[in-house]
Amino acid sequence: LDVDPRQGGIFAVWDGSGVIVKQVELLRGQDPPRIICKSRNPSYAPIELTIDGNVHVIGRISAKIARM
């Protein structure tokens, strides 16, 4: 299970109230660690989260789901 956002990618993240699936980037040099979660939809602003006991990365998304 890949839960390391250092290389970036699309991840499932528990944001403290639910699961979000976003493009995740690790903010370097932050203690505690912080991530930026970006949507591919430009209508949604990026979300900056602190990785702590309430927020955590569940895992990298490794499949693509598309409408046919």
Side-chain angles (χ1 to χ4, degrees):
L1 187 59
D2 185 356
V3 297
D4 185 356
R6 285 184 286 184
Q7 297 299 318
I10 299 174
F11 287 84
V13 177
W14 177 261
D15 71 358
S17 61
V19 175
I20 60 174
V21 176
K22 301 284 183 189
Q23 180 76 34
V24 172
E25 295 176 20
L26 181 68
L27 294 172
R28 307 269 181 209
Q30 302 292 309
D31 187 27
R34 295 185 61 77
I35 57 174
I36 294 182
C37 302
K38 297 179 181 178
S39 176
R40 289 193 173 172
N41 183 336
S43 299
Y44 293 96
I47 303 166
E48 191 169 319
L49 299 170
T50 300
I51 302 296
D52 58 18
N54 198 34
V55 173
H56 62 274
V57 176
I58 297 169
R60 183 181 301 274
I61 302 300
S62 61
K64 180 179 179 180
I65 300 171
R67 280 188 250 175
M68 296 184 83

